[in-house]
Amino acid sequence: QNFNTMNFYNKIMLYFWLALAVVVLVGTTYMVLTVDNGFKRYGYSYIFGVVAVLMFFFKRWMMKRVEKHMEFLAQQKPEDKK
């Protein structure tokens, strides 16, 4: 059950990073296009959007890695009992 709880939490955080990236990138693009000297004032905000996208992919990669490791451990358990 602990793994299911962590899996649920990880999925929430995965989509949190994706949603944050979309909000930041869309909001920054809007501000850049609508404000005078927008890129000079808000261009640095793209960094936060890119970091959020990178966190999304990193989180997804780690979730797959942990899942494969848990499967490996489950396969090893019966062999240990012999």
Side-chain angles (χ1 to χ4, degrees), residues 2-43:
N2 189 25
F3 182 68
N4 288 338
T5 304
M6 283 304 296
N7 196 17
F8 179 69
Y9 168 76
N10 284 332
K11 283 192 184 273
I12 288 173
M13 291 307 296
L14 178 73
Y15 291 112
F16 165 79
W17 286 115
L18 184 61
L20 183 67
V22 169
V23 168
V24 169
L25 292 173
V26 169
T28 300
T29 301
Y30 175 77
M31 295 303 284
V32 164
L33 295 176
T34 59
V35 175
D36 290 337
N37 293 328
F39 190 77
K40 282 187 176 182
R41 292 176 75 183
Y42 299 105

Side-chain angles (χ1 to χ4, degrees), residues 53-69:
V53 168
L54 292 175
M55 286 300 295
F56 168 77
F57 285 113
F58 177 74
K59 187 75 171 168
R60 190 171 70 172
W61 173 72
M62 281 302 291
M63 284 174 60
K64 288 180 183 178
R65 186 171 174 221
V66 167
E67 189 175 314
K68 286 181 184 177
H69 184 67

